């Protein structure tokens, strides 16, 4: 086959264009610091990148859930601590009133303080995180306690008394609130009814009944202590899970970087090599293309 000047010129231009295309891709890698800029550059790297990014997005969502979980549990623990202090103050006043040496106006003062502390406990039961009530199961938009027409505190039965749970790992849901309105709850109706009885017994100076009131207070205080211990155990577990998620985030980010990020030392070396190839290609092309009339006229 006869090789013509036209064939040499076309081959030269084709190879020159390919060299420029390679240099363009290397330049893109330098600018973006990524191995690929489009899936067609390397489908395997692109597919792995999608998987890693999906995993990273999932981990980052879990981290946001951890922030929400800490918020709920910290507020729950603080509320339980305040309620415990209020009940301990009521118990202290009850012990003081049960010695039988107080005058009538002193017992009335104690009864009045107990009323105020009862209202304070009701306010604690209505603690909110943002706009959500944390002691009312999943019925978080409605307060668990209210005051009726007679001034009595009423614990409502929530429409859904299931615990609030957050997903903190794949398929792992942790309870972040304390359900209170069932019979074993911490802010149940029995608690407020027992305080109403205590107030009545204080006003009547019923010493025998006050002793039973002390036993009831001890039961409710123990319930609060036990619930705080449960909340603390959940907090400890969440902290351990959070450490694991942090490690997963670091690991996924590292794998994604290895998969996608360009090795800049290699990219610079490739660029230098390609530039040398390009210069050599131009030099060869200048030699094999026949001179034109203008070249002879020089």
């Amino acid at each position: 086959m006869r090789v013509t000047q036209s064939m040499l010129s076309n081959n030269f231009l084709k190879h020159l264009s390919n060299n420029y295309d390679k240099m363009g891709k290397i330049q893109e890698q330098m600018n973006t610091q990524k191995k690929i800029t489009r899936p067609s550059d390397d489908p395997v790297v692109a597919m792995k990148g999608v998987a890693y990014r999906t995993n990273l997005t999932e981990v980052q969502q879990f981290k946001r859930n951890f922030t929400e979980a800490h918020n709920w549990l910290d507020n729950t623990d603080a509320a339980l601590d305040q309620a415990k202090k209020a009940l301990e103050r009521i118990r202290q006043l009850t012990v003081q009133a049960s010695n039988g040496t107080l005058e009538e106006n002193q017992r009335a003062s104690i009864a009045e303080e107990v009323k105020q502390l009862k209202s304070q406990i009701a306010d604690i039961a209505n603690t909110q995180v943002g706009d959500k009530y944390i002691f009312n199961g999943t019925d978080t938009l409605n307060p668990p306690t209210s005051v009726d027409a007679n001034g009595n505190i009423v614990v409502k039965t929530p429409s859904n008394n299931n615990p609030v749970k957050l997903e903190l790992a794949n398929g792992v849901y942790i309870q972040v609130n304390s359900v209170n309105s069932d019979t074993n709850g911490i802010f149940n109706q029995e608690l407020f009814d027992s305080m109403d009885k205590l107030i009545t017994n204080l006003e009547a100076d019923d010493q025998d009944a006050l002793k039973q009131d002390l036993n009831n207070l001890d039961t409710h205080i123990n319930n609060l202590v036990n619930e705080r211990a449960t909340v603390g155990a959940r907090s400890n577990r969440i902290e351990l899970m959070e450490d694991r998620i942090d490690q997963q985030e670091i690991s996924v980010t590292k794998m994604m970087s290895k998969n996608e990020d360009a090795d800049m030392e290699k990219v610079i070396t490739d660029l230098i090599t390609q530039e040398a190839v390009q210069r050599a290609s131009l030099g060869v092309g200048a030699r094999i293309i026949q001179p034109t009339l203008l070249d002879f006229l020089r």
Side-chain angles (χ1 to χ4, degrees), residues 173-189:
Y173 293 83
I174 303 298
Q175 181 177 338
V176 295
N177 72 330
S178 296
V179 180
N180 80 89
S181 58
D182 55 351
T183 55
N184 296 321
I186 49 176
F187 296 117
N188 54 22
Q189 189 65 57

mmCIF file with all atom_site columns, all heavy atoms in Angstrom, residues 173-189:
data_model
loop_
_atom_site.group_PDB
_atom_site.id
_atom_site.type_symbol
_atom_site.label_atom_id
_atom_site.label_alt_id
_atom_site.label_comp_id
_atom_site.label_asym_id
_atom_site.label_entity_id
_atom_site.label_seq_id
_atom_site.pdbx_PDB_ins_code
_atom_site.Cartn_x
_atom_site.Cartn_y
_atom_site.Cartn_z
_atom_site.occupancy
_atom_site.B_iso_or_equiv
_atom_site.pdbx_formal_charge
_atom_site.auth_seq_id
_atom_site.auth_comp_id
_atom_site.auth_asym_id
_atom_site.auth_atom_id
_atom_site.pdbx_PDB_model_num
ATOM 1   N N   . TYR A 1 173 ? -32.453 0.704  67.453 1.00 0.00 ? 173 TYR A N   1
ATOM 2   C CA  . TYR A 1 173 ? -33.277 1.814  67.939 1.00 0.00 ? 173 TYR A CA  1
ATOM 3   C C   . TYR A 1 173 ? -33.144 1.907  69.460 1.00 0.00 ? 173 TYR A C   1
ATOM 4   O O   . TYR A 1 173 ? -33.322 0.908  70.163 1.00 0.00 ? 173 TYR A O   1
ATOM 5   C CB  . TYR A 1 173 ? -34.744 1.608  67.561 1.00 0.00 ? 173 TYR A CB  1
ATOM 6   C CG  . TYR A 1 173 ? -35.005 1.686  66.069 1.00 0.00 ? 173 TYR A CG  1
ATOM 7   C CD1 . TYR A 1 173 ? -34.802 0.575  65.251 1.00 0.00 ? 173 TYR A CD1 1
ATOM 8   C CD2 . TYR A 1 173 ? -35.441 2.867  65.488 1.00 0.00 ? 173 TYR A CD2 1
ATOM 9   C CE1 . TYR A 1 173 ? -35.032 0.645  63.884 1.00 0.00 ? 173 TYR A CE1 1
ATOM 10  C CE2 . TYR A 1 173 ? -35.685 2.942  64.118 1.00 0.00 ? 173 TYR A CE2 1
ATOM 11  C CZ  . TYR A 1 173 ? -35.475 1.831  63.330 1.00 0.00 ? 173 TYR A CZ  1
ATOM 12  O OH  . TYR A 1 173 ? -35.701 1.903  61.984 1.00 0.00 ? 173 TYR A OH  1
ATOM 13  N N   . ILE A 1 174 ? -32.839 3.099  69.955 1.00 0.00 ? 174 ILE A N   1
ATOM 14  C CA  . ILE A 1 174 ? -32.644 3.320  71.384 1.00 0.00 ? 174 ILE A CA  1
ATOM 15  C C   . ILE A 1 174 ? -33.727 4.270  71.896 1.00 0.00 ? 174 ILE A C   1
ATOM 16  O O   . ILE A 1 174 ? -33.999 5.305  71.294 1.00 0.00 ? 174 ILE A O   1
ATOM 17  C CB  . ILE A 1 174 ? -31.252 3.923  71.668 1.00 0.00 ? 174 ILE A CB  1
ATOM 18  C CG1 . ILE A 1 174 ? -30.154 3.009  71.118 1.00 0.00 ? 174 ILE A CG1 1
ATOM 19  C CG2 . ILE A 1 174 ? -31.060 4.121  73.168 1.00 0.00 ? 174 ILE A CG2 1
ATOM 20  C CD1 . ILE A 1 174 ? -30.095 1.648  71.731 1.00 0.00 ? 174 ILE A CD1 1
ATOM 21  N N   . GLN A 1 175 ? -34.338 3.884  73.036 1.00 0.00 ? 175 GLN A N   1
ATOM 22  C CA  . GLN A 1 175 ? -35.352 4.736  73.651 1.00 0.00 ? 175 GLN A CA  1
ATOM 23  C C   . GLN A 1 175 ? -34.690 5.972  74.251 1.00 0.00 ? 175 GLN A C   1
ATOM 24  O O   . GLN A 1 175 ? -33.668 5.884  74.928 1.00 0.00 ? 175 GLN A O   1
ATOM 25  C CB  . GLN A 1 175 ? -36.095 3.969  74.747 1.00 0.00 ? 175 GLN A CB  1
ATOM 26  C CG  . GLN A 1 175 ? -37.192 4.772  75.438 1.00 0.00 ? 175 GLN A CG  1
ATOM 27  C CD  . GLN A 1 175 ? -37.939 3.954  76.464 1.00 0.00 ? 175 GLN A CD  1
ATOM 28  O OE1 . GLN A 1 175 ? -37.940 2.722  76.392 1.00 0.00 ? 175 GLN A OE1 1
ATOM 29  N NE2 . GLN A 1 175 ? -38.576 4.607  77.412 1.00 0.00 ? 175 GLN A NE2 1
ATOM 30  N N   . VAL A 1 176 ? -35.279 7.146  73.993 1.00 0.00 ? 176 VAL A N   1
ATOM 31  C CA  . VAL A 1 176 ? -34.669 8.396  74.461 1.00 0.00 ? 176 VAL A CA  1
ATOM 32  C C   . VAL A 1 176 ? -35.583 9.176  75.404 1.00 0.00 ? 176 VAL A C   1
ATOM 33  O O   . VAL A 1 176 ? -35.248 10.295 75.802 1.00 0.00 ? 176 VAL A O   1
ATOM 34  C CB  . VAL A 1 176 ? -34.267 9.289  73.264 1.00 0.00 ? 176 VAL A CB  1
ATOM 35  C CG1 . VAL A 1 176 ? -33.183 8.626  72.436 1.00 0.00 ? 176 VAL A CG1 1
ATOM 36  C CG2 . VAL A 1 176 ? -35.479 9.632  72.401 1.00 0.00 ? 176 VAL A CG2 1
ATOM 37  N N   . ASN A 1 177 ? -36.734 8.594  75.768 1.00 0.00 ? 177 ASN A N   1
ATOM 38  C CA  . ASN A 1 177 ? -37.617 9.308  76.700 1.00 0.00 ? 177 ASN A CA  1
ATOM 39  C C   . ASN A 1 177 ? -38.045 8.374  77.826 1.00 0.00 ? 177 ASN A C   1
ATOM 40  O O   . ASN A 1 177 ? -37.732 7.186  77.823 1.00 0.00 ? 177 ASN A O   1
ATOM 41  C CB  . ASN A 1 177 ? -38.841 9.855  75.974 1.00 0.00 ? 177 ASN A CB  1
ATOM 42  C CG  . ASN A 1 177 ? -39.824 8.757  75.578 1.00 0.00 ? 177 ASN A CG  1
ATOM 43  O OD1 . ASN A 1 177 ? -39.433 7.625  75.332 1.00 0.00 ? 177 ASN A OD1 1
ATOM 44  N ND2 . ASN A 1 177 ? -41.088 9.105  75.507 1.00 0.00 ? 177 ASN A ND2 1
ATOM 45  N N   . SER A 1 178 ? -38.750 8.929  78.795 1.00 0.00 ? 178 SER A N   1
ATOM 46  C CA  . SER A 1 178 ? -39.272 8.147  79.917 1.00 0.00 ? 178 SER A CA  1
ATOM 47  C C   . SER A 1 178 ? -40.793 8.212  79.879 1.00 0.00 ? 178 SER A C   1
ATOM 48  O O   . SER A 1 178 ? -41.381 9.283  80.021 1.00 0.00 ? 178 SER A O   1
ATOM 49  C CB  . SER A 1 178 ? -38.764 8.699  81.255 1.00 0.00 ? 178 SER A CB  1
ATOM 50  O OG  . SER A 1 178 ? -37.369 8.583  81.346 1.00 0.00 ? 178 SER A OG  1
ATOM 51  N N   . VAL A 1 179 ? -41.424 7.070  79.641 1.00 0.00 ? 179 VAL A N   1
ATOM 52  C CA  . VAL A 1 179 ? -42.886 7.003  79.609 1.00 0.00 ? 179 VAL A CA  1
ATOM 53  C C   . VAL A 1 179 ? -43.400 7.097  81.034 1.00 0.00 ? 179 VAL A C   1
ATOM 54  O O   . VAL A 1 179 ? -42.899 6.419  81.928 1.00 0.00 ? 179 VAL A O   1
ATOM 55  C CB  . VAL A 1 179 ? -43.352 5.703  78.933 1.00 0.00 ? 179 VAL A CB  1
ATOM 56  C CG1 . VAL A 1 179 ? -44.868 5.636  78.899 1.00 0.00 ? 179 VAL A CG1 1
ATOM 57  C CG2 . VAL A 1 179 ? -42.787 5.619  77.519 1.00 0.00 ? 179 VAL A CG2 1
ATOM 58  N N   . ASN A 1 180 ? -44.424 7.945  81.254 1.00 0.00 ? 180 ASN A N   1
ATOM 59  C CA  . ASN A 1 180 ? -44.776 8.206  82.643 1.00 0.00 ? 180 ASN A CA  1
ATOM 60  C C   . ASN A 1 180 ? -46.220 7.969  83.016 1.00 0.00 ? 180 ASN A C   1
ATOM 61  O O   . ASN A 1 180 ? -46.536 7.922  84.195 1.00 0.00 ? 180 ASN A O   1
ATOM 62  C CB  . ASN A 1 180 ? -44.455 9.665  82.966 1.00 0.00 ? 180 ASN A CB  1
ATOM 63  C CG  . ASN A 1 180 ? -45.537 10.607 82.464 1.00 0.00 ? 180 ASN A CG  1
ATOM 64  O OD1 . ASN A 1 180 ? -46.492 10.885 83.155 1.00 0.00 ? 180 ASN A OD1 1
ATOM 65  N ND2 . ASN A 1 180 ? -45.408 11.094 81.254 1.00 0.00 ? 180 ASN A ND2 1
ATOM 66  N N   . SER A 1 181 ? -47.125 7.855  82.077 1.00 0.00 ? 181 SER A N   1
ATOM 67  C CA  . SER A 1 181 ? -48.527 7.891  82.463 1.00 0.00 ? 181 SER A CA  1
ATOM 68  C C   . SER A 1 181 ? -49.140 6.518  82.716 1.00 0.00 ? 181 SER A C   1
ATOM 69  O O   . SER A 1 181 ? -50.322 6.416  82.987 1.00 0.00 ? 181 SER A O   1
ATOM 70  C CB  . SER A 1 181 ? -49.342 8.601  81.374 1.00 0.00 ? 181 SER A CB  1
ATOM 71  O OG  . SER A 1 181 ? -49.178 7.940  80.138 1.00 0.00 ? 181 SER A OG  1
ATOM 72  N N   . ASP A 1 182 ? -48.335 5.456  82.615 1.00 0.00 ? 182 ASP A N   1
ATOM 73  C CA  . ASP A 1 182 ? -48.873 4.154  82.973 1.00 0.00 ? 182 ASP A CA  1
ATOM 74  C C   . ASP A 1 182 ? -48.775 3.969  84.494 1.00 0.00 ? 182 ASP A C   1
ATOM 75  O O   . ASP A 1 182 ? -48.298 4.840  85.217 1.00 0.00 ? 182 ASP A O   1
ATOM 76  C CB  . ASP A 1 182 ? -48.127 3.033  82.233 1.00 0.00 ? 182 ASP A CB  1
ATOM 77  C CG  . ASP A 1 182 ? -46.633 3.093  82.472 1.00 0.00 ? 182 ASP A CG  1
ATOM 78  O OD1 . ASP A 1 182 ? -46.172 4.084  83.050 1.00 0.00 ? 182 ASP A OD1 1
ATOM 79  O OD2 . ASP A 1 182 ? -45.954 2.148  82.089 1.00 0.00 ? 182 ASP A OD2 1
ATOM 80  N N   . THR A 1 183 ? -49.217 2.845  84.982 1.00 0.00 ? 183 THR A N   1
ATOM 81  C CA  . THR A 1 183 ? -49.277 2.644  86.438 1.00 0.00 ? 183 THR A CA  1
ATOM 82  C C   . THR A 1 183 ? -47.894 2.637  87.067 1.00 0.00 ? 183 THR A C   1
ATOM 83  O O   . THR A 1 183 ? -47.736 2.952  88.247 1.00 0.00 ? 183 THR A O   1
ATOM 84  C CB  . THR A 1 183 ? -49.992 1.315  86.756 1.00 0.00 ? 183 THR A CB  1
ATOM 85  O OG1 . THR A 1 183 ? -49.322 0.256  86.057 1.00 0.00 ? 183 THR A OG1 1
ATOM 86  C CG2 . THR A 1 183 ? -51.438 1.372  86.301 1.00 0.00 ? 183 THR A CG2 1
ATOM 87  N N   . ASN A 1 184 ? -46.872 2.279  86.300 1.00 0.00 ? 184 ASN A N   1
ATOM 88  C CA  . ASN A 1 184 ? -45.517 2.254  86.836 1.00 0.00 ? 184 ASN A CA  1
ATOM 89  C C   . ASN A 1 184 ? -44.721 3.503  86.461 1.00 0.00 ? 184 ASN A C   1
ATOM 90  O O   . ASN A 1 184 ? -43.516 3.547  86.645 1.00 0.00 ? 184 ASN A O   1
ATOM 91  C CB  . ASN A 1 184 ? -44.781 1.001  86.311 1.00 0.00 ? 184 ASN A CB  1
ATOM 92  C CG  . ASN A 1 184 ? -45.426 -0.283 86.792 1.00 0.00 ? 184 ASN A CG  1
ATOM 93  O OD1 . ASN A 1 184 ? -45.857 -0.365 87.932 1.00 0.00 ? 184 ASN A OD1 1
ATOM 94  N ND2 . ASN A 1 184 ? -45.499 -1.274 85.922 1.00 0.00 ? 184 ASN A ND2 1
ATOM 95  N N   . GLY A 1 185 ? -45.402 4.504  85.930 1.00 0.00 ? 185 GLY A N   1
ATOM 96  C CA  . GLY A 1 185 ? -44.716 5.691  85.454 1.00 0.00 ? 185 GLY A CA  1
ATOM 97  C C   . GLY A 1 185 ? -44.217 6.569  86.588 1.00 0.00 ? 185 GLY A C   1
ATOM 98  O O   . GLY A 1 185 ? -44.603 6.434  87.749 1.00 0.00 ? 185 GLY A O   1
ATOM 99  N N   . ILE A 1 186 ? -43.352 7.494  86.239 1.00 0.00 ? 186 ILE A N   1
ATOM 100 C CA  . ILE A 1 186 ? -42.744 8.358  87.249 1.00 0.00 ? 186 ILE A CA  1
ATOM 101 C C   . ILE A 1 186 ? -43.612 9.567  87.571 1.00 0.00 ? 186 ILE A C   1
ATOM 102 O O   . ILE A 1 186 ? -43.606 10.069 88.691 1.00 0.00 ? 186 ILE A O   1
ATOM 103 C CB  . ILE A 1 186 ? -41.350 8.803  86.779 1.00 0.00 ? 186 ILE A CB  1
ATOM 104 C CG1 . ILE A 1 186 ? -41.420 9.336  85.352 1.00 0.00 ? 186 ILE A CG1 1
ATOM 105 C CG2 . ILE A 1 186 ? -40.360 7.669  86.864 1.00 0.00 ? 186 ILE A CG2 1
ATOM 106 C CD1 . ILE A 1 186 ? -40.116 9.872  84.839 1.00 0.00 ? 186 ILE A CD1 1
ATOM 107 N N   . PHE A 1 187 ? -44.366 10.055 86.581 1.00 0.00 ? 187 PHE A N   1
ATOM 108 C CA  . PHE A 1 187 ? -45.274 11.183 86.811 1.00 0.00 ? 187 PHE A CA  1
ATOM 109 C C   . PHE A 1 187 ? -46.715 10.729 86.590 1.00 0.00 ? 187 PHE A C   1
ATOM 110 O O   . PHE A 1 187 ? -47.479 11.359 85.856 1.00 0.00 ? 187 PHE A O   1
ATOM 111 C CB  . PHE A 1 187 ? -44.938 12.351 85.872 1.00 0.00 ? 187 PHE A CB  1
ATOM 112 C CG  . PHE A 1 187 ? -43.572 12.949 86.097 1.00 0.00 ? 187 PHE A CG  1
ATOM 113 C CD1 . PHE A 1 187 ? -42.604 12.900 85.114 1.00 0.00 ? 187 PHE A CD1 1
ATOM 114 C CD2 . PHE A 1 187 ? -43.261 13.557 87.302 1.00 0.00 ? 187 PHE A CD2 1
ATOM 115 C CE1 . PHE A 1 187 ? -41.348 13.459 85.318 1.00 0.00 ? 187 PHE A CE1 1
ATOM 116 C CE2 . PHE A 1 187 ? -41.998 14.111 87.522 1.00 0.00 ? 187 PHE A CE2 1
ATOM 117 C CZ  . PHE A 1 187 ? -41.048 14.058 86.522 1.00 0.00 ? 187 PHE A CZ  1
ATOM 118 N N   . ASN A 1 188 ? -47.086 9.625  87.209 1.00 0.00 ? 188 ASN A N   1
ATOM 119 C CA  . ASN A 1 188 ? -48.428 9.100  86.998 1.00 0.00 ? 188 ASN A CA  1
ATOM 120 C C   . ASN A 1 188 ? -49.434 9.775  87.932 1.00 0.00 ? 188 ASN A C   1
ATOM 121 O O   . ASN A 1 188 ? -49.087 10.589 88.788 1.00 0.00 ? 188 ASN A O   1
ATOM 122 C CB  . ASN A 1 188 ? -48.446 7.576  87.191 1.00 0.00 ? 188 ASN A CB  1
ATOM 123 C CG  . ASN A 1 188 ? -47.872 7.172  88.542 1.00 0.00 ? 188 ASN A CG  1
ATOM 124 O OD1 . ASN A 1 188 ? -47.840 7.958  89.479 1.00 0.00 ? 188 ASN A OD1 1
ATOM 125 N ND2 . ASN A 1 188 ? -47.414 5.927  88.630 1.00 0.00 ? 188 ASN A ND2 1
ATOM 126 N N   . GLN A 1 189 ? -50.702 9.410  87.739 1.00 0.00 ? 189 GLN A N   1
ATOM 127 C CA  . GLN A 1 189 ? -51.756 10.024 88.534 1.00 0.00 ? 189 GLN A CA  1
ATOM 128 C C   . GLN A 1 189 ? -51.616 9.701  90.010 1.00 0.00 ? 189 GLN A C   1
ATOM 129 O O   . GLN A 1 189 ? -51.943 10.523 90.889 1.00 0.00 ? 189 GLN A O   1
ATOM 130 C CB  . GLN A 1 189 ? -53.125 9.547  88.018 1.00 0.00 ? 189 GLN A CB  1
ATOM 131 C CG  . GLN A 1 189 ? -54.306 10.287 88.624 1.00 0.00 ? 189 GLN A CG  1
ATOM 132 C CD  . GLN A 1 189 ? -54.318 11.755 88.242 1.00 0.00 ? 189 GLN A CD  1
ATOM 133 O OE1 . GLN A 1 189 ? -54.322 12.094 87.077 1.00 0.00 ? 189 GLN A OE1 1
ATOM 134 N NE2 . GLN A 1 189 ? -54.327 12.640 89.237 1.00 0.00 ? 189 GLN A NE2 1
#
